[in-house]
Amino acid sequence: MNLALWIGAGLLAVVALTGGISKTFVPREKLAAVQGGGWTEDAGAGFVKTLGVLELLAAVGLILPAAAGIAPALAPVTAVCWVLLMAGAMITHGRRGEFPYVVLNLVYLVLAAFVAWGRFGPESFSS
C-alpha cells in the first residue's frame, strides 16, 4: 500500500509539475492555442499564472515533506487541495464541452483522493 501511495503521489507530482511549468512560464496566448488550453482565453493572465504556481507548489507538497520527513502531514493536505483543483478543472472543461478532459481530470481527482485517504488513514506518516 505504501508503494502504491508513493507511486500515486509521484504521478500526480509529475502532472502538477508539467501543468505548473506550462501555466507559469508559457504565455496565455500560446496555451490557448494548444488542445485543451482554450479555457485560458476566458481567464486573465494573472489567474493562469496563479494556477501554475499552485500546481508547482502541489508538485513539491506531494513529495518533499514526506520524503524529507519535515511536516509530512502536508502531503495528504496537498492531495486534498489537488482534489479541489481537479473539481474546478472538471467544471471548467465540462462547461466548455471538453468531456475527454473532464474524464482525465476525474482520474487525477480519484488518484489524489486515494493518496489523501491513504496518507490520512492506513499509511499515515505519523504511524
Side-chain angles (χ1 to χ4, degrees):
M1 173 72 92
N2 186 46
L3 180 60
L5 290 167
W6 273 110
I7 291 170
L11 290 172
L12 288 174
V14 168
V15 168
L17 184 63
T18 304
I21 288 172
S22 66
K23 289 179 188 80
T24 303
F25 300 109
V26 175
R28 186 175 59 104
E29 296 74 25
K30 283 191 176 184
L31 288 175
V34 176
Q35 187 174 6
W39 65 271
T40 60
E41 293 174 336
D42 303 327
F47 178 73
V48 174
K49 291 202 181 300
T50 299
L51 282 178
V53 170
L54 289 174
E55 289 181 5
L56 291 173
L57 291 172
V60 172
L62 285 164
I63 302 296
L64 191 60
I70 300 170
L74 287 177
V77 169
T78 302
V80 169
C81 293
W82 190 259
V83 166
L84 298 173
L85 188 65
M86 289 301 101
M90 289 171 62
I91 291 167
T92 299
H93 287 296
R95 286 181 177 166
R96 295 179 53 83
E98 300 168 339
F99 298 109
Y101 294 106
V102 173
V103 173
L104 182 61
N105 292 139
L106 178 61
V107 169
Y108 297 150
L109 183 149
V110 169
L111 186 56
F114 170 70
V115 170
W117 167 81
R119 290 305 183 201
F120 276 130
E123 289 291 332
S124 170
F125 290 116
S126 62
S127 51

